[in-house]
Amino acid sequence: MNLIASSAFALLLAVSVASADEAALDKRVMDLAAELRCLVCQNQSLAESNAGLAVDLRNQIRAQLARGASEREVVDFMVARYGDFVLYRPPLKASTFLLWFGPFVLLIAGIYVLILRIHRQGKMKRQLSEAERLRAEQLLKE
């Protein structure tokens, strides 16, 4: 009887350890999937997407992590296979330079154009000579 009780306890302990390991693996998979972009629905992460490809990629992440691969190795695998597009935060390099700094360049260019336009409008108002101003007043009176 004592052998049966200890065997049952050992089995329950093994099941609880396995479920804890599975929960930890699930958390690692979802954390990593949250950092990767779904290739089908591009505005969602792999963790959020229910597309077939996203499910397959999550399963692939799970399999690699279960085999003992690190998160970095899984990300490197995904980048090698799908390119930097799969990352929500692509690395700063020559091919992604415009992606990182393009919005700031456009913002600065827009501010520059706005300042030039305001400056030119103010300058145009001041450019009328006295004779032109009198002629304009005369035309408005007619």
Side-chain angles (χ1 to χ4, degrees):
M1 185 67 146
N2 207 7
L3 180 62
I4 295 173
S6 63
S7 296
F9 178 72
L11 182 62
L12 285 175
L13 185 62
V15 168
S16 67
V17 168
S19 66
D21 288 345
E22 189 67 25
L25 180 62
D26 285 344
K27 181 170 178 6
R28 285 179 66 201
V29 168
M30 293 313 282
D31 288 346
L32 190 55
E35 294 180 22
L36 299 172
R37 182 186 318 272
C38 177
L39 301 170
V40 176
C41 27
Q42 298 170 2
N43 59 343
Q44 289 182 322
S45 70
L46 286 178
E48 299 167 332
S49 177
N50 290 324
L53 180 61
V55 173
D56 290 342
L57 290 176
R58 282 195 306 264
N59 290 336
Q60 192 170 37
I61 291 169
R62 174 183 299 287
Q64 288 185 18
L65 290 175
R67 280 194 315 256
S70 70
E71 283 86 358
R72 184 77 254 153
E73 290 171 337
V74 174
V75 169
D76 290 344
F77 171 80
M78 292 292 182
V79 169
R81 192 163 192 188
Y82 301 107
D84 286 331
F85 181 75
V86 76
L87 300 174
Y88 262 124
R89 290 172 290 212
L92 180 59
K93 56 185 182 182
S95 63
T96 61
F97 184 81
L98 212 55
L99 179 66
W100 279 100
F101 297 107
F104 298 112
V105 170
L106 287 175
L107 178 66
I108 291 169
I111 291 171
Y112 178 73
V113 167
L114 182 65
I115 289 171
L116 278 179
R117 191 165 196 176
I118 290 171
H119 181 68
R120 284 184 184 161
Q121 284 179 350
K123 205 175 194 181
M124 286 176 62
K125 289 178 185 176
R126 289 179 268 145
Q127 285 183 340
L128 289 178
S129 68
E130 187 63 28
E132 290 170 331
R133 191 181 59 72
L134 290 174
R135 174 76 178 134
E137 285 178 10
Q138 184 183 18
L139 287 173
L140 287 173
K141 288 179 183 176
E142 292 178 3

